[in-house]
Amino acid sequence: MEVVQIQRNLVDYTKSLFMEGFLDGQFLQLQQLQDESNPDFVAEVVSLFFDDSQKLLNELTIALDQPIVDFKKVDAHVHQLKGSSSSIGAQKVKNACIAFRNFCEVQNIEGCLTCLQQVKLEYYLAKNKFETLFRLEQQIVASGGSIPMIEMGF
Amino acid sequence: MVTKIKMVALVHESKLDFGDPFRKHKMICRYHPKAPTPWTTLTTAFLFFVICLLVGYILYGVAIQIVEVEDDFHEMQELKFLATVSHEIRTPMNGILGMLVLLLDTDLSSTQRDYAQTAQVCGKALITLINEVLDQAKIEGGKLELETVSFNLRSIFDDVLSLFSEKSRNKGVEFTERGHIFVKVLAENEKPATEAKSENYLNGGPDEGVLISGARHFKILSGYEAADEQNTSRGVTLMVSVEDTGIGIPLIAQERVFMPFMQADSSTSRNYGGTGIGLSITKCLVELMGGHIGFITRPQVGSILIHHPFESFKKASYMIQKKTVSEDLPSGFTGSKAIVVDGKPIAASASRKMVLLVGSKILPDIILVKKDLWLSGEDGGSSLQMFNGKQNGHVFKLPKVILLATNITNAELEKARQQVSQIRVYSGKKILVVDDNMVNRRVAAGALKKFGAAVECAESGKAALKLLQLPHCFDACFMDIQMPEMDGFEATRQIRMLEGQANEQMNGSIKEDSASRGEWHVPILAMTADVIHATSHECLKCGMDGYVSKPFKEENLYQAVAKFFKSNPISCS
């Protein structure tokens, strides 16, 4: 049956995301908060994350482009980004942010710029992965199936 | 006499001389033209033939008899042998089991205990097998004699149910009586066999025509339903049916259902246990009583086994044996409305029946939930949501939640209590979430809403202050530490200052003891990802009541505030 195949794909895909370190346990927590009264909780939170992060990344680019870089501001933005990415379980983004913050503390512009690139890269990758995930879920729901719960031994 | 003859050749003149010289005697012989039918010969031959047939038949009959007798004899021998051997085996087996029980009562190391328990399990299985074989032998040997006796249908059912309660409980199988007994009449019937049959009957609850004595697959076996078919003065027909929600009996196996030692296929014994005797014993008993037995089955849904033990029962004189109820049924239930939540419709109808007996009607005031449903993740969640749904509206009376279970361990009871209290603790509470990060706000709000609280969000310390202007309706507040402009510490300090001022004003005008003094102190908990700088000490210094680290786990979040809600919060009317 088609639905079963898609469900299996979804499960495998999600598992691979965990294995590769894109997602961590926090994402599972999010999934647990989703139920009948809140059917799109995860999707909403993740799209909020996308919007928020996009804004932050733009701000960061602008801030680091300034002749005199305001590291406090940069740090604040990165802190924000780190917070939101860890809340949804986007592990790689979060880790990149942590590295970023270290460079901010020592006020190393080169390092910051590199990190910004890294964060952007991770962010776009994560965005891609999430979008694929949601697309699979939508396919399942459209075919009348239910989204399978992932069992993880964390 | 001289007669005219035509055929010369066939004439014969007799040379007989009569010795009379004076008369001339001449005797002429001839053949009769038509040969006479030799009746005698024919009759004789025929009779002889018939006699031979009869004799042959008799001999044949005798021969058959001899063969039969020999067969019977052999069979009897076999059964006798089986019986003797089984009996001989049973005695030492009982010895073994007894010793194992004693052994398990002593102090054993864990490996020893494991070994002993395995041995015990095997021994019990063996004994069960032997008993069944013996029963079979007994019945086939025609050793079972029926005795007509009066019995009370209801009490027999109760007895049988309690007989099996232990066994079914251990298997997680729910065994109930649907209780549709219309007849309160005592019927004459043989009591011992009914009980024995019922035992085997229930033992042989159809799971692919196999004993349920080994089965642990089926979650629910229910409905020992006795329906009164004809309640005439002549006699009563009893129909007993056992329903189960199992895997049903596949078409191929259906012919073999009642044959001894026959199970649906070779994997049945492995999967479900049992030996395939129960139903055949039941059939023998039923037919001994002159009734008949049949079944209806649907794959994956279950089966119903029905038998009419007698064509009709005679009504015996009716003795009302009213069991005095030692304590009154709790009257608190009368008139209240209840919902029964159960995954399986059969069991739900059984529960419904019981609930009706207790005196409630079926609409929510009390919610009775099957223990299995409640404790399993999904439906527990949906039950919670049910409560939440109600909560979003107006004030409502929280229905009592009662768990229905055939058996419940202490651990399960505790867990269920916790879950219920989880809902209670948070429901109706208003919580403020303060965080400058949208995503974090969303996640925190989602978690708290799941617990049943009403959540409001603020995106900065300043906004929080505005919302927490006294008097406010919030029962608790989650505050992010790292926020621009006004961080969590600062915001908390300011809130505490406001509270302090308000308290002084209140206390100034009231000269009473501390118990009646209402103090404004909203529990504020820090949410922080930075456990190095925002230590517990720091938080407490500025007036916070605790903290949760980000990203938070559900349980941590729940626990953090729950302890404040346990004590009396200031409620907003």
Side-chain angles (χ1 to χ4, degrees):
Chain A
M1 263 207 310
E2 265 241 11
V3 180
V4 176
Q5 187 56 42
I6 307 177
Q7 282 173 331
R8 218 175 298 146
N9 287 345
L10 178 64
V11 172
D12 290 338
Y13 190 66
T14 318
K15 282 212 171 122
S16 73
L17 289 181
F18 279 100
M19 294 300 170
E20 293 168 22
F22 279 104
L23 295 177
D24 65 19
Q26 190 59 21
F27 187 68
L28 287 177
Q29 292 274 341
L30 271 194
Q31 283 189 324
Q32 279 179 13
L33 291 178
Q34 176 168 305
D35 51 28
E36 291 90 39
S37 69
N38 240 336
D40 294 315
F41 184 66
V42 179
E44 282 175 18
V45 175
V46 173
S47 51
L48 265 182
F49 168 70
F50 289 154
D51 295 334
D52 200 39
S53 312
Q54 195 64 60
K55 266 187 258 156
L56 285 170
L57 286 172
N58 292 340
E59 299 275 324
L60 277 169
T61 320
I62 296 174
L64 282 175
D65 232 0
Q66 303 295 324
I68 305 180
V69 177
D70 183 358
F71 281 105
K72 272 218 152 98
K73 204 161 157 206
V74 172
D75 188 63
H77 287 317
V78 178
H79 173 74
Q80 284 272 315
L81 192 57
K82 180 178 144 235
S84 26
S85 61
S86 76
S87 284
I88 64 164
Q91 199 176 349
K92 286 198 172 176
V93 181
K94 177 185 80 173
N95 292 339
C97 289
I98 296 177
F100 199 150
R101 282 194 90 192
N102 291 336
F103 281 114
C104 279
E105 270 182 54
V106 299
Q107 305 207 343
N108 182 339
I109 297 197
E110 291 307 315
C112 285
L113 283 169
T114 322
C115 277
L116 181 61
Q117 290 312 312
Q118 186 70 24
V119 171
K120 277 189 179 169
L121 178 66
E122 294 296 348
Y123 166 71
Y124 285 123
L125 275 176
K127 187 163 181 210
N128 217 327
K129 302 280 181 187
F130 275 123
E131 280 172 354
T132 317
L133 205 66
F134 290 135
R135 214 177 331 120
L136 279 174
E137 282 186 1
Q138 275 168 5
Q139 275 181 357
I140 294 178
V141 171
S143 324
S146 61
I147 298 174
M149 278 279 118
I150 318 281
E151 299 290 315
M152 287 268 156
F154 274 135
Chain B
M1 301 280 156
V2 175
T3 50
K4 282 205 169 103
I5 37 174
K6 296 268 158 94
M7 301 181 126
V8 177
L10 295 172
V11 165
H12 170 75
E13 194 176 302
S14 177
K15 298 282 187 264
L16 200 60
D17 188 358
F18 289 103
D20 191 353
F22 297 111
R23 295 187 198 238
K24 209 170 166 204
H25 283 138
K26 203 155 103 173
M27 189 156 73
I28 300 173
C29 309
R30 70 170 173 90
Y31 282 109
H32 203 275
K34 243 176 23 181
T37 356
W39 283 117
T40 30
T41 338
L42 282 177
T43 324
T44 325
F46 180 66
L47 280 177
F48 185 66
F49 179 64
V50 167
I51 290 173
C52 276
L53 271 181
L54 283 174
V55 168
Y57 184 70
I58 293 171
L59 283 177
Y60 173 74
V62 167
I64 291 284
Q65 275 293 329
I66 293 179
V67 170
E68 262 186 20
V69 165
E70 268 198 20
D71 269 351
D72 273 347
F73 183 63
H74 281 312
E75 217 177 276
M76 275 308 293
Q77 286 271 348
E78 268 178 37
L79 288 175
K80 255 181 148 176
F81 170 74
L82 268 176
T84 320
V85 163
S86 302
H87 186 262
E88 295 301 318
I89 292 179
R90 248 202 319 201
T91 319
M93 270 312 299
N94 279 326
I96 294 177
L97 280 180
M99 284 300 132
L100 280 173
V101 167
L102 290 176
L103 180 65
L104 283 168
D105 271 339
T106 62
D107 279 327
L108 296 170
S109 77
S110 55
T111 24
Q112 287 173 328
R113 186 163 287 273
D114 185 32
Y115 292 161
Q117 278 172 341
T118 316
Q120 194 183 35
V121 163
C122 295
K124 282 194 181 148
L126 194 57
I127 276 274
T128 322
L129 182 61
I130 292 174
N131 285 340
E132 287 158 9
V133 169
L134 268 184
D135 280 342
Q136 182 78 15
K138 220 181 355 174
I139 291 180
E140 283 195 5
K143 288 294 178 206
L144 206 60
E145 278 178 16
L146 298 188
E147 182 195 343
T148 315
V149 141
S150 334
F151 69 100
N152 184 340
L153 204 56
R154 199 142 217 150
S155 55
I156 284 198
F157 285 179
D158 285 341
D159 289 341
V160 169
L161 282 180
S162 39
L163 233 143
F164 280 88
S165 64
E166 165 102 30
K167 221 176 187 182
S168 64
R169 209 179 334 143
N170 288 341
K171 295 193 179 77
V173 164
E174 184 188 324
F175 190 41
T176 67
E177 178 196 17
R178 237 204 265 198
H180 295 164
I181 297 186
F182 306 118
V183 51
K184 285 191 187 155
V185 176
L186 291 180
E188 267 182 17
N189 187 22
E190 44 86 28
K191 190 174 188 293
T194 310
E195 196 130 20
K197 170 193 56 188
S198 312
E199 251 187 62
N200 283 318
Y201 201 81
L202 305 163
N203 233 351
D207 40 335
E208 304 216 355
V210 153
L211 292 177
I212 222 176
S213 53
R216 56 181 68 83
H217 167 79
F218 307 108
K219 293 297 250 170
I220 297 190
L221 171 71
S222 72
Y224 192 6
E225 189 178 277
D228 172 25
E229 294 230 318
Q230 297 164 356
N231 197 352
T232 67
S233 54
R234 205 172 12 105
V236 171
T237 309
L238 188 67
M239 181 181 95
V240 179
S241 79
V242 177
E243 297 174 34
D244 76 62
T245 56
I247 44 181
I249 308 176
L251 209 56
I252 341 154
Q254 282 181 9
E255 296 148 6
R256 302 196 292 229
V257 157
F258 293 112
M259 283 169 34
F261 293 111
M262 285 295 196
Q263 294 181 328
D265 69 61
S266 44
S267 67
T268 311
S269 179
R270 190 171 19 102
N271 291 336
Y272 306 114
T275 42
I277 284 200
L279 276 181
S280 77
I281 295 182
T282 315
K283 180 166 188 250
C284 285
L285 282 171
V286 168
E287 284 176 357
L288 214 59
M289 286 193 270
H292 56 275
I293 188 171
F295 62 91
I296 307 170
T297 177
R298 219 188 284 168
Q300 300 306 325
V301 174
S303 324
I304 307 179
L305 218 65
I306 310 170
H307 67 92
H308 305 253
F310 262 175
E311 281 313 309
S312 72
F313 287 76
K314 286 204 290 282
K315 282 195 210 179
S317 54
Y318 181 33
M319 281 185 302
I320 305 179
Q321 283 166 345
K322 224 179 168 185
K323 277 198 240 173
T324 47
V325 181
S326 49
E327 35 176 69
D328 285 321
L329 291 173
S331 56
F333 284 122
T334 327
S336 52
K337 307 173 198 156
I339 288 185
V340 177
V341 182
D342 192 333
K344 310 263 177 165
I346 298 181
S349 82
S351 313
R352 186 167 175 273
K353 181 96 196 168
M354 283 186 244
V355 165
L356 283 175
L357 282 174
V358 182
S360 327
K361 296 192 204 83
I362 311 288
L363 275 178
D365 236 6
I366 310 180
I367 301 188
L368 299 110
V369 186
K370 258 341 262 307
K371 172 196 77 163
D372 301 324
L373 282 183
W374 181 267
L375 289 179
S376 78
E378 297 177 16
D379 266 297
S382 75
S383 309
L384 288 175
Q385 286 318 104
M386 197 161 55
F387 293 131
N388 281 349
K390 289 196 131 197
Q391 200 244 309
N392 285 336
H394 28 276
V395 174
F396 75 114
K397 190 177 83 168
L398 201 63
K400 298 194 193 120
V401 178
I402 302 178
L403 279 187
L404 295 176
T406 49
N407 59 322
I408 188 164
T409 62
N410 270 341
E412 289 169 331
L413 195 58
E414 270 313 302
K415 188 172 167 206
R417 276 221 189 99
Q418 268 177 12
Q419 284 174 328
V420 176
S421 55
Q422 249 186 16
I423 314 165
R424 307 248 174 140
V425 163
Y426 272 88
S427 62
K429 302 285 193 286
K430 226 174 152 199
I431 306 188
L432 179 67
V433 171
V434 187
D435 195 324
D436 57 332
N437 186 305
M438 212 183 349
V439 176
N440 294 342
R441 281 204 300 274
R442 255 327 198 87
V443 175
L448 290 169
K449 276 195 193 133
K450 191 176 169 195
F451 297 151
V455 179
E456 227 181 282
C457 298
E459 58 176 23
S460 69
K462 284 215 175 107
L465 271 177
K466 262 195 233 124
L467 285 170
L468 285 176
Q469 288 296 321
L470 299 161
H472 62 74
C473 279
F474 290 104
D475 298 294
C477 172
F478 279 95
M479 181 93 67
D480 182 28
I481 304 287
Q482 276 104 347
M483 290 191 286
E485 290 182 9
M486 192 190 297
D487 71 5
F489 293 135
E490 183 57 35
T492 314
R493 266 183 235 122
Q494 299 218 356
I495 294 172
R496 293 295 179 228
M497 257 190 335
L498 286 173
E499 286 178 343
Q501 286 169 358
N503 287 341
E504 274 172 27
Q505 281 179 349
M506 273 199 310
N507 297 339
S509 50
I510 305 173
K511 268 205 286 191
E512 271 152 54
D513 55 329
S514 50
S516 64
R517 193 173 43 167
E519 254 193 22
W520 283 106
H521 182 95
V522 59
I524 302 183
L525 292 108
M527 288 196 300
T528 171
D530 195 357
V531 285
I532 305 170
H533 292 130
T535 57
S536 155
H537 182 64
E538 284 286 325
C539 297
L540 291 174
K541 237 183 15 183
C542 59
M544 291 190 171
D545 298 286
Y547 78 95
V548 186
S549 64
K550 272 196 298 195
F552 44 74
K553 297 230 163 359
E554 239 184 279
E555 309 93 67
N556 297 348
L557 193 64
Y558 168 74
Q559 290 297 337
V561 190
K563 58 179 178 231
F564 293 108
F565 288 160
K566 290 233 176 82
S567 50
N568 286 332
I570 297 171
S571 58
C572 173
S573 53

